[in-house]
Amino acid sequence: MKLGLVPGEDIDTFWRRVAGACADWLAAQGASPRDAVLLLPFAQHLAPARRAFLARGGWQPVLATTRSLASALGPSPLAQPGQISGDAPVDALAADALIAQQSWAQGLKREDPRAYRLALARLVETAHAFTRAAGQQDPAARGAWFEAARQHLTDDPVGGTERALALVALAWAASDDRTPATDALFRHRPSAWIALQAGGPDPLARALLAGGDVPALWLDTDLDLDQLAEPVARVEEALCADFETLAQASAVAVLQHLAAGRAPVALIAQDRVVVRRVRALLSRQGLPMHDETGWTLATTPAASTLMALLRAALGGGAVDDWLAWLKLSAEPSAALDALEALCRRRRIRRAEVLDAMDKLPAQALWQARRQALAPLAGGGRRSLLQWLFDLKRALGSEPLAGLEGGAGVLEALWLSRNPWPGSAHEAVLSDARLDGAGFLAWVGEVLEAGQYVPEDAGQAPVVITPLVRAMLRPFGALVLPGADADTLGRGGRGLSLLSEADAAALGLPTQARQREAEAQAFAQALRAPVLTLLRCTRAGAEPLPASPLIERLAVAARRAGRESPLRHWVDERPPQAITPQPLPRASVAAARLPAALSASAVESLRRCPYQFFSRHLLGLQAADELEAEPEKRDYGTWLHAVLHRFHTGRQPGDATAQLRAAAAAESLGLDEADFLPWQASFERLLPRYVDWLAAAEAQGQAFSEGELDRQCRPFDGALADLVLRGRIDRVDTTAEGKRLLLDYKTGSVKGLKDRVTEPLEDTQMAVYALLMDAAPDLAAAYLALDDPGGVVAVEHPDVAATAGQLRDGLQSDLLLMLQGAPLPALGEGSACEFCEARGLCRKDDWS
């Protein structure tokens, strides 16, 4: 029986029509209504169906879904060891054991472990699909179905890894000798079967009603979108320029519907990212919401804290992992901030370095947390059950207390429950053996597979639900953000190991079937009083068209000679005029000079006064990533230390051997693999430096001292107390008795030569000369260490004179700053390109 669209019919009237059709048919069949069964697509349809039958009066049939009725008729058999449990992460470990003896699988595991894990996930996905499909078959025909599936897969002469995995999945599903819970449906004998179809046919209901020995009625409510010229719903469309506009418009649409009395409103979770933003916007309005979809368990605070703990314990001792866990699990404190600042300042990457330090900030917390994770340390392979026991010990007596999703995380990971004795879960937890990396990956898979659904908010005015579950429910309005071609109408993905043709032949889900089901769900949404569609018009720089389902609806109207049913959505928010209040592009530092200036601070002042203000007056600095790849400046720091050790401890003899020994004695705290590129650079430098040193010493030049921390007070008047400080890499003496300042550089020789071409632009050497009293007998040069042609000394001519001019200029500029002169953002070129304060001066928005 076809239950099509009736103009002006609301959902409650539709359900009364369903109740009337059932009652009339049962009376015609002479079947007892109370012994009949009406199978509904979703559990959410039970309430409106009951209301419709109660309004009609008399006996009503048993209202159920195929799943709820099967559960009521008997429990599902427990999965035994080796059988499919339905839990994907657990079944992945069982599948690993299942194909352990297959040579092709072991070869893949050795050559590409990541591809092997992906193969296991696809095998499990396909096995689950076969198991579901088998449970939808008549028990008498199930064996033949498995045989036909096996024959179909083996008929393909082209094998390959995918076909081998598919055959393993099929054999695994076929070897399960349990009786599915759905078999009880085929043994059940009601007075009549009635099935309501919405969103495409249900294969299990089809097989059930095809038995023939019980009267059966099929109620088809699906609508042909291509013939739907006049929908019940008032269809509104909103076009948005970007993501945030889309989210805000969606939230406004929900509020407008509620203000118009159209409660409850269904917020369709077609685009989960947008819907999470809309949920946040509506929460600010104090609006109760019921979320039927939830979100991935891995995104909850409890899962984030747990994964941070495991990365700290199993991540190889990376300080960044430990700091991430401490900041998530401990109360914020000044000591914890000081610990992080220490690690970033000294670029400490390994936890072992902190263990060896005395008077560490937050030392009690650090030691307590290191001890707490001791059960997980040590590496090696353990059973999964042992890993979980050690994890529970590490979590303590109140694991994840008070964190959202905590109970779900503990349950998903078997930390708050035990598997049934003799079950497939118990066997996998006991038998599977994993190393630390494997356990960390398994926990991640469990959390990604789990779903967190917040507590039911009762009769909430807003219900977040997928499009398919919004069908035939008494909503006052539907709001669907993401009605674009990339989000609506594409359907889901098919099975990875099977082609579309294979899946269709075996009765498994296909992309075509999923697209059609989505089209049916969209058509059912047109039964609602109002349907508000919202979409972005662009995806980045590319135009983003409307969903093909919207286009089909418009084409159906044109074929029928009607105008398009799409109406423009009206944003009823009153416009608010905002008076521009431009801010000056400069700051004032009156009476705020720092107590000391370094060469880099002076350089910032000369390059961009605003950069000086943000860095050295406000103290704003970008925090470095501790686990970033070693940078060239790390190599430069290490090289400075090596050369200082070499020169201060140098003895007569082989300079090359002594320099190599100095390099071996210095450490960057890196693994050998991380340091390998810099070690190669040092090996290229070593003979060049020894040759340059021999030539310099032959001309009478000699090392005097290095790594000098110097400071002076070169200013007078109001600036008399201002200190200039810095560290000088090296001071040599020349044959003429002069002092020679040397500054090591790992940059290009050309850049250094360009710098000293205009001596007054070379701030660094002028500051160093001031630190050395700017004596007339002072000379200065940059020592370029990375030039392919050898080590090159680039002289800064007449550095004493340059230093004097720099001092006079600074005296004038700093006095003006004390008097309140503005510090404008005047930087250009490279001064802006690599400036971390660019977002503060807003230079990108000046135009």
Side-chain angles (χ1 to χ4, degrees):
M1 181 183 296
K2 189 73 174 178
L3 297 179
L5 200 63
V6 175
E9 181 182 64
D10 61 18
I11 294 298
D12 289 334
T13 306
F14 165 80
W15 280 107
R16 287 195 291 271
R17 184 152 60 103
V18 170
C22 293
D24 293 344
W25 180 80
L26 288 171
Q29 296 293 320
S32 169
R34 69 176 183 178
D35 296 326
V37 175
L38 171 57
L39 297 175
L40 301 171
F42 299 105
Q44 288 81 4
H45 295 147
L46 294 173
R50 288 194 183 104
R51 286 196 296 268
F53 278 100
L54 285 173
R56 185 176 181 83
W59 289 102
Q60 61 177 298
V62 175
L63 304 178
T65 65
T66 52
R67 182 174 180 178
S68 66
L69 183 58
S71 298
L73 295 176
S76 299
L78 189 68
Q80 302 299 308
Q83 295 176 339
I84 297 173
S85 70
D87 186 337
V90 167
D91 285 338
L93 297 176
D96 184 23
L98 187 68
I99 62 175
Q101 305 305 319
Q102 303 286 336
S103 59
W104 58 269
Q106 292 310 302
L108 179 63
K109 188 175 185 177
R110 287 191 305 270
E111 295 168 6
D112 193 343
R114 187 174 181 181
Y116 179 75
R117 292 188 69 85
L118 181 60
L120 288 179
R122 290 176 172 176
L123 189 157
V124 169
E125 174 194 49
T126 308
H128 286 182
F130 281 132
T131 300
R132 285 192 297 270
Q136 295 168 348
Q137 307 297 318
D138 188 317
R142 186 171 297 128
W145 180 85
F146 270 120
E147 179 57 30
R150 186 193 63 78
Q151 188 63 44
H152 178 85
L153 293 179
T154 53
D155 280 347
D156 188 352
V158 180
T161 302
E162 287 81 5
R163 185 47 51 97
L165 289 169
L167 285 169
V168 171
L170 179 64
W172 192 12
S175 66
D176 194 336
D177 56 3
R178 289 176 295 165
T179 300
T182 52
D183 282 8
L185 298 175
F186 292 91
R187 296 191 298 269
H188 189 53
R189 289 294 179 269
S191 63
W193 287 111
I194 307 173
L196 185 74
Q197 174 179 320
D202 180 351
L204 178 56
R206 282 285 190 193
L208 196 58
L209 270 63
D213 55 345
V214 175
L217 173 65
W218 193 270
L219 298 176
D220 185 359
T221 71
D222 284 338
L223 305 173
D224 187 351
L225 187 59
D226 297 318
Q227 302 298 324
L228 206 57
E230 190 177 0
V232 170
R234 185 182 85 227
V235 186
E236 307 171 332
E237 185 181 35
L239 305 181
C240 305
D242 52 41
F243 173 89
E244 184 60 23
T245 305
L246 175 63
Q248 292 186 15
S250 302
V252 170
V254 170
L255 294 173
Q256 289 181 182
H257 287 313
L258 292 176
R262 303 187 193 103
V265 175
L267 178 59
I268 305 301
Q270 191 69 22
D271 187 328
R272 287 298 303 170
V273 177
V274 174
V275 168
R276 289 200 71 172
R277 175 61 179 154
V278 176
R279 180 190 177 101
L281 293 172
L282 293 176
S283 295
R284 295 177 185 175
Q285 306 297 318
L287 195 63
M289 286 173 282
H290 173 51
D291 193 339
E292 295 180 350
T293 61
W295 46 85
T296 304
L297 198 58
T299 62
T300 61
S304 299
T305 301
L306 179 69
M307 289 302 291
L309 179 152
L310 289 174
R311 292 189 188 99
L314 305 174
V319 164
D320 223 11
D321 290 335
W322 280 90
L323 289 176
W325 179 50
L326 288 175
K327 288 189 288 186
L328 279 173
S329 61
E331 292 294 328
S333 66
L336 189 54
D337 292 341
L339 176 63
E340 181 177 7
L342 172 69
C343 294
R344 297 194 183 282
R345 185 171 63 253
R346 299 191 184 180
R347 303 184 68 80
I348 300 173
R349 294 186 173 92
R350 313 302 303 172
E352 296 80 4
V353 177
L354 293 178
D355 290 338
M357 294 176 65
D358 296 327
K359 297 181 180 179
L360 193 68
Q363 188 158 24
L365 175 64
W366 174 259
Q367 292 176 345
R369 294 307 169 87
R370 291 283 282 174
Q371 186 176 1
L373 297 198
L376 293 170
R381 299 178 69 85
R382 313 177 198 177
S383 71
L384 183 53
L385 197 62
Q386 183 63 49
W387 275 116
L388 294 175
F389 176 74
D390 293 337
L391 175 57
K392 193 169 184 178
R393 288 172 56 200
L395 285 171
S397 58
E398 296 183 3
L400 309 179
L403 294 178
E404 185 181 38
V409 168
L410 296 176
E411 183 174 348
L413 290 172
W414 299 91
L415 297 174
S416 62
R417 57 175 177 153
N418 295 317
W420 284 98
S423 66
H425 287 90
E426 183 191 52
V428 170
L429 295 181
S430 301
D431 297 342
R433 297 187 63 81
L434 303 172
D435 58 13
F439 177 64
L440 182 60
W442 181 82
V443 172
E445 291 169 4
V446 171
L447 298 178
E448 287 290 342
Q451 198 75 3
Y452 172 70
V453 179
E455 294 183 3
D456 192 344
Q459 298 298 320
V462 179
V463 178
I464 302 174
T465 188
L467 180 61
V468 69
R469 290 191 194 170
M471 295 187 299
L472 308 181
R473 295 174 66 181
F475 291 118
L478 273 62
V479 176
L480 197 163
D484 54 75
D486 284 350
T487 310
L488 178 64
R490 299 185 66 179
R493 65 178 184 86
L495 294 170
S496 304
L497 298 181
L498 299 175
S499 67
E500 282 283 284
D502 288 336
L506 300 175
L508 300 178
T510 62
Q511 285 186 297
R513 186 181 297 177
Q514 292 177 72
R515 282 194 296 270
E516 183 57 29
E518 193 171 27
Q520 292 289 351
F522 178 75
Q524 293 288 358
L526 298 172
R527 295 181 185 268
V530 183
L531 172 61
T532 303
L533 306 170
L534 304 102
R535 65 181 178 89
C536 284
T537 57
R538 304 189 71 82
E542 298 295 327
L544 185 59
S547 165
L549 302 183
I550 297 177
E551 297 294 338
R552 289 171 63 181
L553 181 63
V555 169
R558 287 198 297 270
R559 286 175 180 168
R562 301 177 182 273
E563 63 181 29
S564 173
L566 295 177
R567 300 291 180 266
H568 177 68
W569 175 73
V570 178
D571 187 345
E572 297 176 358
R573 287 178 292 179
Q576 181 178 359
I578 300 176
T579 304
Q581 296 179 342
L583 297 176
R585 301 175 188 172
S587 299
V588 176
R592 293 187 60 186
L593 287 181
L597 293 177
S598 64
S600 62
V602 175
E603 179 73 16
S604 291
L605 178 60
R606 301 186 74 193
R607 287 161 61 91
C608 175
Y610 191 87
Q611 190 180 90
F612 172 82
F613 173 78
S614 62
R615 287 181 183 176
H616 302 285
L617 296 184
L618 298 183
L620 302 178
Q621 292 182 350
D624 293 328
E625 290 291 338
L626 293 177
E627 284 305 302
E629 291 294 325
E631 301 174 352
K632 193 166 187 178
R633 67 172 179 173
D634 297 319
Y635 170 63
T637 301
W638 174 81
L639 191 55
H640 277 60
V642 169
L643 293 177
H644 181 65
R645 177 184 288 269
F646 165 70
H647 283 290
T648 54
R650 187 179 175 193
Q651 301 292 329
D654 188 349
T656 300
Q658 293 183 51
L659 186 54
R660 185 171 279 115
E666 289 293 336
S667 172
L668 263 179
L670 300 176
D671 295 333
E672 290 185 8
D674 290 334
F675 187 64
L676 190 59
W678 307 121
Q679 181 64 41
S681 297
F682 177 74
E683 289 296 331
R684 289 194 299 271
L685 166 66
L686 196 150
R688 299 171 186 168
Y689 185 81
V690 171
D691 290 345
W692 170 85
L693 182 62
E697 290 178 342
Q699 296 176 3
Q701 183 175 327
F703 173 83
S704 176
E705 50 189 342
E707 300 299 328
L708 300 178
D709 288 318
R710 296 291 297 261
Q711 65 181 37
C712 66
R713 290 180 170 83
F715 309 111
D716 52 33
L719 302 174
D721 292 331
L722 184 60
V723 174
L724 194 64
R725 62 171 51 148
R727 170 173 284 195
I728 298 171
D729 290 349
R730 175 174 169 181
V731 178
D732 281 14
T733 57
T734 66
E736 296 81 14
K738 289 186 175 183
R739 291 178 300 169
L740 174 62
L741 292 180
L742 287 177
D743 191 76
Y744 301 128
K745 294 294 183 185
T746 56
S748 69
V749 173
K750 182 181 182 304
L752 296 174
K753 289 181 177 179
D754 291 343
R755 180 188 294 193
V756 300
T757 300
E758 295 291 340
L760 294 179
E761 297 299 321
D762 184 12
T763 303
Q764 184 177 4
M765 275 302 181
V767 170
Y768 286 174
L770 286 175
L771 292 174
M772 298 297 289
D773 303 325
D777 68 338
L778 195 64
Y782 292 107
L783 200 59
L785 302 175
D786 272 359
D787 190 72
V791 175
V792 179
V794 181
E795 183 183 3
H796 180 116
D798 202 5
V799 71
T802 304
Q805 291 177 302
L806 174 69
R807 181 260 173 213
D808 295 341
L810 281 176
Q811 173 89 19
S812 174
D813 292 344
L814 294 173
L815 282 174
L816 288 174
M817 290 169 55
L818 280 178
Q819 296 166 8
L823 299 176
L826 297 178
E828 295 294 342
S830 61
C832 286
E833 186 176 354
F834 302 105
C835 179
E836 69 275 10
R838 187 170 183 142
L840 297 178
C841 76
R842 301 177 300 281
K843 181 171 184 176
D844 293 324
D845 300 320
W846 289 357
S847 59

